[in-house]
Amino acid sequence: MNASQPKADLQHYLRFARDTLLWKLEGLSEYDVRRPLTPTGTNLLGLVKHAAGVELGYFGETFGRPFGEAPPAYEDDAEANQDMWATPDESREDILGLYRRVAEHADATIAELPLDAVGQVRWWPEERRRVTLHQILVHVISDLQRHAGHADIVRELVDGTVGLRSGTDNLPPGDRAWWEGYRERLEQAAREAE
């Protein structure tokens, strides 16, 4: 067994979260990656756009490492929630390209700084602004995994696709009839508990 390397381990989980989030868009139409499927408008492409902003802020500004681009959704005067959806003139390729560039920038920050490097998170309360790269890696991994979970549910609502990656659904085997019966059992249990 290989000895653990904390920075490499954290970066592995960060990349896994990114890959999982991006996989949720594969094979879908422009409409399906953009359509809001929750009362608050959660949509797949918006989750990726948001993730780009998360990494841009935490691995860029926090450690004084400017990204070099200023996407409008991340400006201080941007419309509320502008980072959570794609406008009609923002293509999927634009947003995915931005996220890939942001991820490269984040990976460079992680590679160049030690885990105990200190940064400042401007948008956090004063008493918690001083952070280390280690703290930010854990925070961002947690945030991206949360959004990957959102994407998993949204994708299931779009076309029934579930799981961590293609071919890895982590669910018990069952055909459509089995799942319909299972869901009905849960519905019945919920009604009885009421």
Side-chain angles (χ1 to χ4, degrees):
M1 182 172 155
N2 293 337
S4 178
Q5 298 178 2
K7 188 192 280 191
D9 292 343
L10 291 166
Q11 195 154 27
H12 166 78
Y13 285 105
L14 176 63
R15 288 179 176 147
F16 184 81
R18 288 175 186 154
D19 291 346
T20 300
L21 187 58
L22 292 174
W23 173 69
K24 297 300 176 179
L25 279 68
E26 287 183 14
L28 294 178
S29 69
E30 283 301 313
Y31 172 71
D32 284 336
V33 298
R34 296 164 182 267
R35 76 190 240 218
L37 287 166
T38 69
T40 57
T42 303
N43 64 90
L44 294 167
L45 193 57
L47 288 169
V48 173
K49 186 177 176 183
H50 174 72
V54 167
E55 291 202 49
L56 180 65
Y58 285 116
F59 294 116
E61 180 181 335
T62 295
F63 293 99
R65 296 178 52 84
F67 177 58
E69 293 179 50
Y74 311 113
E75 295 292 330
D76 288 336
D77 63 347
E79 174 187 334
N81 260 15
Q82 188 174 350
D83 69 323
M84 295 297 292
W85 62 284
T87 64
D89 59 330
E90 291 177 303
S91 74
R92 177 191 326 212
E93 292 75 26
D94 290 343
I95 291 171
L96 294 179
L98 171 65
Y99 191 39
R100 287 185 186 101
R101 292 189 307 278
V102 167
E104 287 175 12
H105 183 72
D107 287 344
T109 296
I110 295 163
E112 293 174 22
L113 298 178
L115 285 176
D116 61 356
V118 175
Q120 299 283 327
V121 182
R122 169 180 58 87
W123 53 94
W124 283 9
E126 184 68 39
E127 67 276 5
R128 294 187 319 129
R129 285 186 182 166
R130 185 174 152 80
V131 295
T132 64
L133 178 61
H134 182 246
Q135 289 172 291
I136 291 303
L137 271 161
V138 171
H139 178 80
V140 172
I141 290 165
S142 173
D143 191 63
L144 293 186
Q145 288 292 5
R146 178 174 170 251
H147 292 312
H150 295 146
D152 198 35
I153 291 168
V154 171
R155 179 67 189 253
E156 183 177 1
L157 292 171
V158 169
D159 69 356
T161 299
V162 296
L164 295 172
R165 295 177 184 222
S166 180
T168 308
D169 63 19
N170 289 358
L171 295 172
D175 61 11
R176 183 182 182 125
W178 187 90
W179 282 106
E180 287 173 0
Y182 174 77
R183 189 183 180 289
E184 184 54 40
R185 281 184 41 226
L186 272 60
E187 178 66 30
Q188 186 61 36
R191 290 184 187 284
E192 287 176 22
E194 187 178 32

